Coordinates of all heavy atoms in Angstrom, one line a residue:
L57 N -7.6 19.9 16.0 CA -6.2 19.7 16.1 C -5.6 20.5 17.3 O -4.4 20.3 17.6 CB -5.5 20.3 14.8 CG -5.9 19.6 13.5 CD1 -5.1 20.2 12.4 CD2 -5.7 18.1 13.6
T58 N -6.4 21.2 18.0 CA -5.9 21.9 19.2 C -6.2 21.1 20.4 O -5.8 21.5 21.5 CB -6.6 23.3 19.4 OG1 -8.0 23.1 19.6 CG2 -6.4 24.1 18.1
D59 N -6.9 19.9 20.3 CA -7.2 19.1 21.4 C -6.2 17.9 21.4 O -6.2 17.1 20.5 CB -8.6 18.6 21.4 CG -9.0 17.7 22.6 OD1 -9.1 18.2 23.7 OD2 -9.1 16.5 22.4
E60 N -5.4 17.7 22.5 CA -4.4 16.7 22.5 C -4.9 15.3 22.4 O -4.4 14.5 21.6 CB -3.5 16.9 23.7 CG -2.3 16.0 23.7 CD -1.3 16.5 24.8 OE1 -1.6 17.4 25.5 OE2 -0.2 15.9 24.9
Q61 N -6.0 15.0 23.1 CA -6.6 13.7 23.0 C -7.1 13.4 21.6 O -7.0 12.3 21.1 CB -7.7 13.5 24.1 CG -8.2 12.1 24.1 CD -7.2 11.0 24.3 OE1 -6.3 11.1 25.2 NE2 -7.2 10.0 23.4
S62 N -7.8 14.4 21.0 CA -8.3 14.2 19.7 C -7.2 13.9 18.6 O -7.4 13.0 17.8 CB -9.1 15.4 19.2 OG -10.2 15.6 20.1
V63 N -6.1 14.6 18.8 CA -5.0 14.4 17.9 C -4.4 13.0 18.1 O -4.1 12.2 17.2 CB -3.9 15.4 18.1 CG1 -2.6 15.1 17.3 CG2 -4.4 16.8 17.7
R64 N -4.3 12.5 19.4 CA -3.8 11.2 19.6 C -4.8 10.1 19.0 O -4.3 9.1 18.5 CB -3.7 11.0 21.2 CG -3.1 9.7 21.6 CD -1.6 9.6 21.2 NE -1.5 8.8 19.9 CZ -0.4 8.8 19.1 NH1 0.6 9.6 19.5 NH2 -0.4 8.2 18.0
T65 N -6.1 10.3 19.2 CA -7.0 9.4 18.6 C -6.9 9.4 17.1 O -7.0 8.3 16.5 CB -8.5 9.8 19.0 OG1 -8.6 9.8 20.4 CG2 -9.5 8.9 18.4
L66 N -6.7 10.5 16.5 CA -6.5 10.6 15.0 C -5.3 9.8 14.6 O -5.4 9.0 13.6 CB -6.3 12.1 14.6 CG -5.8 12.3 13.2 CD1 -6.8 11.8 12.2 CD2 -5.5 13.8 13.0
F67 N -4.2 9.9 15.3 CA -3.0 9.2 14.9 C -3.0 7.7 15.2 O -2.4 6.9 14.6 CB -1.7 9.9 15.4 CG -1.3 11.0 14.5 CD1 -1.9 12.3 14.7 CD2 -0.5 10.8 13.4 CE1 -1.5 13.4 13.9 CE2 -0.1 11.9 12.6 CZ -0.7 13.1 12.8
D68 N -3.8 7.4 16.3 CA -4.0 5.9 16.5 C -4.7 5.3 15.3 O -4.4 4.2 14.9 CB -4.9 5.8 17.8 CG -4.1 6.0 19.1 OD1 -2.8 6.0 19.0 OD2 -4.7 6.2 20.1
F69 N -5.7 6.0 14.8 CA -6.4 5.6 13.6 C -5.5 5.4 12.4 O -5.5 4.4 11.7 CB -7.6 6.5 13.3 CG -8.2 6.3 11.9 CD1 -9.1 5.3 11.7 CD2 -7.8 7.2 10.9 CE1 -9.6 5.1 10.4 CE2 -8.4 7.0 9.6 CZ -9.3 6.0 9.4

Side-chain angles (χ1 to χ4, degrees):
L57 301 181
T58 66
D59 180 74
E60 192 164 359
Q61 184 54 52
S62 296
V63 171
R64 186 63 265 164
T65 300
L66 168 64
F67 277 88
D68 285 344
F69 166 77

